[in-house]
Amino acid sequence: MIELTTIIDGKALAGEVEAETLERAKKLANKGIVPGLATVLVGENPASQMYIRLKHSACSRAGIRSENVLLPESSTEEEIIAKIEELNLREDINGILLQLPLPEGLNPQRAMMSILPEKDVDGFHPRNMGALLLGAERLVPCTPLGIIYALERLDKKLEGTEVVIVGHSNVVGKPLAAMMLNRNATVQVCHVFTRDLAEHTRDADILVVAAGVPGLIKKEMVQPGAYIFDVGINRVGDKTVGDVDYEEVSQIAGAITPVPGGVGPLTVAMLLRQTLNATEDQTKDQQ
């Protein structure tokens, strides 16, 4: 009997999270508490503008009040930090997100570190990253969290599982490796300097690809039955494609995320969840 590949529907899973978040937000609203998220957008990058719209639209569906702070492309790091510090002081703002990338010449590290750890719903502050490495997860990067959530919903056991991550960014690869280790998986992290990538990817029961290279992962590089999470978002001609050759790999994978419609919606959904987590933590005395 031929087993069909499970298509991991990120939109459907995100819808579940939105519904759960809305119920939590309603309970807070009954106590006079409205979760608030502020996004900070510097410049007019079209892709960033689209992502901001998606996040604010999701907030409106999930009972979260959101506002976007738009700063000109000519802003200095000091001006960005000053605006973030204003948001830090506002009691009606429970989460702050700095939309990346920043305009050329600006280093995002200082600005991101100026966000209060308890309002850092992207999970990038060193204190939150440190807690993650110590196994005390609270606010963590949203894309890895979305992958973990999907695996839990699929009832995929992580303990003892071979996980291979292609890409070692601070946004996906490194935090996801820590989250998998926290769940007792065996983890390999590959990157541009890895020799014979296929030798590693064929080991994977769970393969996560976040390399930014269209079609990098081919059928012969994947263990049959593996769970594949494609984090890549690449424009090829007029199409959006991932880092995995979907047509080939979906023939043998046990489960796979499409691009678009896979990891992306889950990432936004985790932002909503973490905004609620942050709000609940900050308003304990009012509940």
Side-chain angles (χ1 to χ4, degrees), residues 167-189:
H168 64 343
S169 73
N170 293 331
V171 177
V172 180
K174 290 177 185 176
L176 180 59
M179 293 175 77
M180 291 292 186
L181 289 171
N182 289 344
R183 291 158 178 78
N184 297 316
T186 300
V187 182
Q188 297 182 60
V189 180

Side-chain angles (χ1 to χ4, degrees), residues 94 118 121 138-139 274-283:
N94 307 106
E118 58 267 31
V121 288
R138 183 56 180 174
L139 297 178
Q274 296 211 125
T275 300
L276 260 291
N277 289 347
T279 304
E280 289 169 351
D281 282 350
Q282 292 164 39
T283 59

Side-chain angles (χ1 to χ4, degrees), residues 2 41 56 58 81 95 162 179 190 200 282:
I2 299 175
L41 176 61
H56 285 264
I81 290 170
E162 294 281 346
M179 293 175 77
C190 303
H200 300 275
Q282 292 164 39

